[in-house]
Amino acid sequence: MTQVRSILLTLFLLLPVTLSFHPQISPRIIVSNTRLYKNEATHDVRNDFAGDIDPDELKIQNTLQAHQSTAARLSFPTSVRSLVHHQHGFAVLSTNSKSNPGYPGGSVVGFAPDPSGRPLFVFSGMSSHTQDVLVDPKVSLTVASQDFKGAADGRVNLLGEMERVKDPEEIEMCKEIYLEKHPGAFWVNFGDFNWFRMEVKSVRFVGGFARAGTISAEDYASASPDPISKIGGMVASHMNDDHSDSTISMIQHYIGVDVEAAKIVSMDCLGMDVVVKRTPKGGDQPQEFKIRLPFVRKVEERKEVKEVIVQMTRESAG
């Protein structure tokens, strides 16, 4: 029971929102930590746990909570623009079905964002989604992060309206942007393929557990993609394959918590998201959860990423 209590306390203290673990657990407790945005979603948790948590474990949980509540993170608009811009270029397009009125249609489609973040598409005239948007231009596009594996990973839902691109100069611009993302898309020159641009009206974002909300179309368009997120996956893979011990040491040094394993899952100009594993004091079952490990300073270029990681590694080894 102490182990279960410890797991739940980890979630209480680390996350601005938490999950409902069992519908029969009561009484109900509303968890209210600082949220990044006033419209960020919240969840309820119920608790009837008996027993006491290990005092040393409670100190560790408080240390984690204090650190994570102020850890540097990208803003919502920048996170969204970065996810959409650096993703592999495929997403789920939802349309209002022409052939089955009243039902949504879903298609996996290729896309490329323009400089304002508006998705560009080139569709065959025979495709069902093409027929759908010609009748009703209201659509949504669900974009998952590059390495999406589950609920802890980021995803974006863009809502807006499709418009057909007809101007020859604009079409050439669309081709250039699209081919940069999809260099093998030879069909862009086919006569029965048409260009479309999605005008984003609203954005819903889930950045993983405890990070969700909406942003306006204006904030989305005015944000810029984070430059480090594009290369973050490669740097993370190198660290995970060859220097995982250094990541563990950095977590202990900068956050003050010992972990048994650490895997970097994303990286940006302000720091790293790391999935860690640790066994609570007084327990015998390891926990696995994501934490934020900020850089000691903001980085702008690839070479600076190496420099700051080397600096943090050396400081953690001292």
Side-chain angles (χ1 to χ4, degrees):
M1 185 63 70
T2 300
Q3 173 68 15
V4 175
R5 184 181 178 89
S6 179
I7 293 173
L8 266 284
L9 185 60
T10 299
L11 291 169
F12 289 166
L13 295 178
L14 281 181
L15 307 180
V17 298
T18 52
L19 305 178
S20 179
F21 292 88
H22 196 288
Q24 295 179 347
I25 292 177
S26 61
R28 186 162 142 187
I29 296 177
I30 307 293
V31 179
S32 62
N33 287 342
T34 301
R35 288 179 281 165
L36 295 176
Y37 283 75
K38 63 181 180 181
N39 61 344
E40 208 173 326
T42 59
H43 293 268
D44 294 350
V45 178
R46 298 168 187 250
N47 175 25
D48 63 352
F49 301 107
D52 295 322
I53 189 170
D54 185 285
D56 291 334
E57 178 63 20
L58 182 59
K59 290 181 181 178
I60 292 172
Q61 302 293 353
N62 286 331
T63 298
L64 274 171
Q65 190 275 337
H67 179 273
Q68 294 296 287
S69 65
T70 59
R73 292 177 172 84
L74 297 178
S75 68
F76 265 30
T78 300
S79 293
V80 171
R81 283 297 303 275
S82 302
L83 188 155
V84 172
H85 190 80
H86 299 311
Q87 196 249 15
H88 46 57
F90 291 93
V92 176
L93 179 70
S94 298
T95 58
N96 291 306
S97 176
K98 174 186 174 183
S99 58
N100 296 283
Y103 288 89
S107 304
V108 176
V109 298
F111 79 97
D114 73 3
S116 296
R118 298 175 299 181
L120 303 174
F121 310 88
V122 56
F123 292 152
S124 166
M126 296 185 296
S127 298
S128 60
H129 48 265
T130 305
Q131 297 301 312
D132 292 345
V133 300
L134 290 175
V135 174
D136 187 344
K138 293 184 175 65
V139 299
S140 78
L141 188 72
T142 301
V143 187
S145 61
Q146 178 81 13
D147 300 313
F148 184 88
K149 293 182 176 64
D153 300 316
R155 57 272 194 195
V156 174
N157 183 236
L158 305 176
L159 292 88
E161 297 185 11
M162 285 286 198
E163 63 175 17
R164 188 174 171 188
V165 181
K166 298 180 180 181
D167 180 79
E169 290 187 6
E170 285 194 84
I171 288 175
E172 289 305 313
M173 292 176 59
C174 291
K175 283 184 182 180
E176 182 179 349
I177 293 171
Y178 195 88
L179 287 172
E180 185 176 355
K181 177 71 74 173
H182 303 279
F186 56 87
W187 53 87
V188 299
N189 293 311
F190 287 3
D192 62 336
F193 276 68
N194 301 292
W195 288 93
F196 291 86
R197 178 171 51 226
M198 181 180 175
E199 293 291 340
V200 177
K201 304 296 184 182
S202 182
V203 180
R204 298 183 293 191
F205 172 57
V206 179
F209 291 128
R211 198 163 189 245
T214 62
I215 64 175
S216 69
E218 293 76 18
D219 286 343
Y220 172 77
S222 62
S224 297
D226 172 65
I228 303 303
S229 297
K230 183 177 182 178
I231 63 165
M234 294 182 289
V235 179
S237 294
H238 171 67
M239 289 293 295
N240 293 335
D241 291 341
D242 299 330
H243 305 288
S244 60
D245 289 347
S246 296
T247 306
I248 292 172
S249 297
M250 284 188 279
I251 291 170
Q252 198 285 326
H253 179 75
Y254 289 102
I255 303 180
V257 175
D258 291 318
V259 299
E260 299 155 20
K263 180 180 180 181
I264 303 170
V265 293
S266 63
M267 190 176 297
D268 53 63
C269 67
L270 298 178
M272 303 176 277
D273 291 319
V274 188
V275 172
V276 300
K277 181 183 292 184
R278 65 176 295 273
T279 301
K281 293 184 180 297
D284 57 6
Q285 296 297 317
Q287 303 172 7
E288 191 171 272
F289 50 92
K290 185 186 291 187
I291 62 173
R292 181 70 174 175
L293 177 60
F295 291 144
V296 291
R297 64 179 182 276
K298 183 178 180 180
V299 297
E300 301 286 353
E301 300 178 358
R302 182 169 185 163
K303 66 176 183 178
E304 293 181 87
V305 177
K306 180 180 179 180
E307 291 170 356
V308 77
I309 290 177
V310 169
Q311 175 188 343
M312 293 174 68
T313 299
R314 289 173 176 169
E315 291 177 354
S316 300

